[in-house]
Amino acid sequence: EAILRVQEATLGAEHPSTLRTKGNLANVLKEQGDLKGALELEEAVLRGQEMQLGADHPSVLMTKGNLGITLQEVAKEAESNGERAEAAALYLRAAEMWEPQYGKGNQYSAGARAQAQKLSQA
């Protein structure tokens, strides 16, 4: 985290090296079980990459795929805590992350959308 603060101060929050460090820190947080912290950083990486590279750049699509996985993990956590509405919204966001890379109706987004619908109906 200290390195990230230095990079943000010297290079800027949207610099490619800073974004890479944020992505790496997100992975560490995820491994440590801090899914919400990881989610926050991955969302920041996505915003920065989209500004710098455009929505269709391969790096942006990869980040969306990773963000979709994290969203799904956070949704499962919310679901297990009885937070059905929040979980449903997170599953839908996960599907939206995967669709640009894999297309609509792919197994990942279809599964996430089905889970969101199930939670919304119950």
Side-chain angles (χ1 to χ4, degrees):
E1 291 179 8
I3 293 171
L4 178 59
R5 284 192 297 274
V6 169
Q7 284 183 321
E8 287 178 330
T10 57
L11 301 174
E14 308 303 324
H15 188 277
S17 293
T18 306
L19 294 175
R20 193 173 316 108
T21 299
K22 285 180 185 179
N24 290 338
L25 182 55
N27 290 334
V28 170
L29 292 176
K30 196 184 305 188
E31 288 295 319
Q32 293 175 342
D34 182 1
L35 294 175
K36 292 196 177 189
L39 180 62
E40 184 179 311
L41 285 172
E42 287 180 356
E43 288 173 331
V45 170
L46 179 61
R47 283 190 304 272
Q49 286 181 331
E50 284 180 329
M51 281 180 19
Q52 298 233 344
L53 305 172
D56 296 327
H57 190 277
S59 293
V60 173
L61 295 176
M62 183 181 302
T63 298
K64 285 183 177 183
N66 292 338
L67 181 55
I69 292 167
T70 304
L71 284 163
Q72 186 176 40
E73 290 173 5
V74 174
K76 288 177 183 177
E77 187 176 85
E79 186 177 355
S80 71
N81 293 333
E83 300 164 354
R84 299 174 71 82
E86 180 181 349
L90 289 164
Y91 279 120
L92 287 176
R93 284 190 59 212
E96 291 168 358
M97 291 298 117
W98 290 321
E99 287 170 352
Q101 186 171 7
Y102 302 114
K104 288 193 182 239
N106 73 79
Q107 65 181 1
Y108 305 110
S109 61
R113 286 188 182 282
Q115 189 64 19
Q117 185 175 7
K118 175 183 164 188
L119 290 170
S120 297
Q121 292 175 348

